[in-house]
Amino acid sequence: MTAMPHRPAPDVDAATEVFVAHRNLLFTVAYEMLGSATDAEDVLQETWLKWTGVELARVRDRRAYLVRITTRQALTRMRTLGRRKETYVGAWLPEPLATAADVADDVELAESVSMAMLLVLETLSPTERAVFVLRDVFAVEYEEIAAAVGKNAAAVRQIAHRARGHVAARRPRGPASPDEARRALDAFRRAVDTGDLQGLLDILAPDAVLIGDGGGLAQAVPNPIVGADKVGRVLATGAWRVPEIGTLAPASVNGHPALVLWRGDEVDTVVAVRIDDGLISGLYGVRNPEKLSHVTHETVLSL
């Protein structure tokens, strides 16, 4: 009987140390590819299981190897997420994250995880999104991206160029300062509290859009509302007015100022904004309770 070749047992302690060191980075990669913190957490679990079976001595660049595993798992997860979106009730918005204040200090990181940018990334194909995120956000080399997405380097360069142009045409025209965002949210807050329609119109872009995500589990506007007048009227009518048992509090969400409506100890709604040239061009209200679990605690992100 021929003896089977001996394969060294994985060093779980060493694997754990490396994984923990890069966990925040891997979560950020998965989240930017998926727009879902819950699915990103699942991807990290799958990445960990695969990582523990790897012979570390054979891995030259452990960070790159982990990013490759995470990317492949996220691409697989995208197919499942895509099927869920096809049957989703109402408009779909990314899952909001409560982030530490220092995320806003990193302009590149804050822009890449903003609600506005995640919605732009939704317009890319899964492979385009993976390539754009890895190259333009995390500066991964083309050869490494090629290994992660199953393409050759030349094809990846073409995909990156195409995705970059697509994103450039749709991304916010200039990153808003924290002061601009807070000023816009203050106007929104006054409008819903007092019905100050003119105050809101003064800070809404002519083509402003209001999107609500209730997922069929909470009341929300069923379709996007476009145009400053229409958005202003909806908000000023009191449809979004804070109930007596609620508290509308400022927060840092996805690296930017936002508002969170609390009902007691539970989050009811997260309101994020997109700002172009100092005016609100997008208002995003997430009410689906299945998307609000990552707003009650800070999530650490990393490039």
Side-chain angles (χ1 to χ4, degrees):
M1 181 176 178
T2 303
M4 295 293 291
H6 174 69
R7 181 186 179 192
D11 186 337
V12 176
D13 289 341
T16 301
E17 183 179 351
V18 174
F19 184 83
V20 170
H22 296 296
R23 187 191 185 284
N24 295 337
L25 165 70
L26 301 177
F27 176 86
T28 309
V29 169
Y31 177 68
E32 292 197 20
M33 287 181 61
L34 299 168
S36 166
T38 302
D39 285 283
E41 293 283 5
D42 289 343
V43 164
L44 257 62
Q45 181 64 26
E46 294 158 2
T47 299
W48 163 247
L49 292 174
K50 289 187 175 295
W51 177 241
T52 56
V54 172
E55 189 178 340
L56 296 186
R58 295 179 177 270
V59 180
R60 179 176 55 83
D61 186 336
R62 296 175 178 182
R63 176 185 182 274
Y65 198 96
L66 279 166
V67 169
R68 185 190 308 174
I69 298 174
T70 300
T71 300
R72 288 175 176 173
Q73 297 305 312
L75 282 169
T76 300
R77 176 74 50 159
M78 277 184 181
R79 289 191 281 271
T80 300
L81 197 56
R83 289 192 293 270
R84 291 210 305 261
K85 289 175 185 176
E86 290 175 1
T87 58
Y88 198 79
V89 178
W92 183 95
L93 288 172
E95 185 175 349
L97 301 176
T99 50
D102 60 359
V103 172
D105 296 334
D106 187 330
V107 176
E108 185 178 1
L109 176 59
E111 185 196 19
S112 71
V113 298
S114 69
M115 193 73 73
M117 178 56 76
L118 291 175
L119 284 171
V120 171
L121 296 181
E122 280 293 310
T123 64
L124 301 177
S125 72
T127 300
E128 286 175 336
R129 184 167 184 168
V131 169
F132 179 85
V133 167
L134 293 178
R135 182 60 190 170
D136 282 51
V137 179
F138 295 95
V140 177
E141 296 296 331
Y142 286 112
E143 291 74 13
E144 187 59 39
I145 298 173
V149 302
K151 305 281 186 180
N152 61 52
V156 166
R157 288 178 184 273
Q158 291 180 342
I159 294 170
H161 178 74
R162 185 168 64 244
R164 196 173 295 125
H166 190 94
V167 170
R170 293 165 174 79
R171 75 193 315 161
R173 289 185 284 275
S177 70
D179 285 343
E180 284 180 314
R182 279 189 286 269
R183 187 163 59 249
L185 286 165
D186 284 345
F188 167 83
R189 192 174 184 173
R190 285 194 300 272
V192 298
D193 281 346
T194 66
D196 179 16
L197 176 58
Q198 187 57 52
L200 185 62
L201 290 176
D202 288 343
I203 203 163
L204 283 175
D207 58 349
V209 58
L210 168 65
I211 302 176
D213 178 347
L217 302 175
Q219 186 176 4
V221 291
N223 299 299
I225 297 172
V226 182
D229 289 341
K230 292 180 181 179
V231 171
R233 282 198 297 271
V234 168
L235 297 177
T237 58
W240 285 48
R241 191 156 297 167
V242 179
E244 292 182 3
I245 60 171
T247 302
L248 193 60
S252 178
V253 174
N254 287 61
H256 295 269
L259 294 172
V260 176
L261 172 59
W262 293 84
R263 290 177 181 264
D265 295 331
E266 295 186 356
V267 176
D268 177 274
T269 308
V270 172
V271 180
V273 296
R274 167 174 170 161
I275 298 175
D276 285 295
D277 300 326
L279 298 176
I280 296 176
S281 57
L283 271 165
Y284 313 115
V286 181
R287 302 203 66 217
N288 182 346
E290 294 182 349
K291 290 186 174 183
L292 299 176
S293 62
H294 284 77
V295 183
T296 57
H297 59 278
E298 288 184 355
T299 297
V300 180
L301 303 173
S302 174
L303 289 180

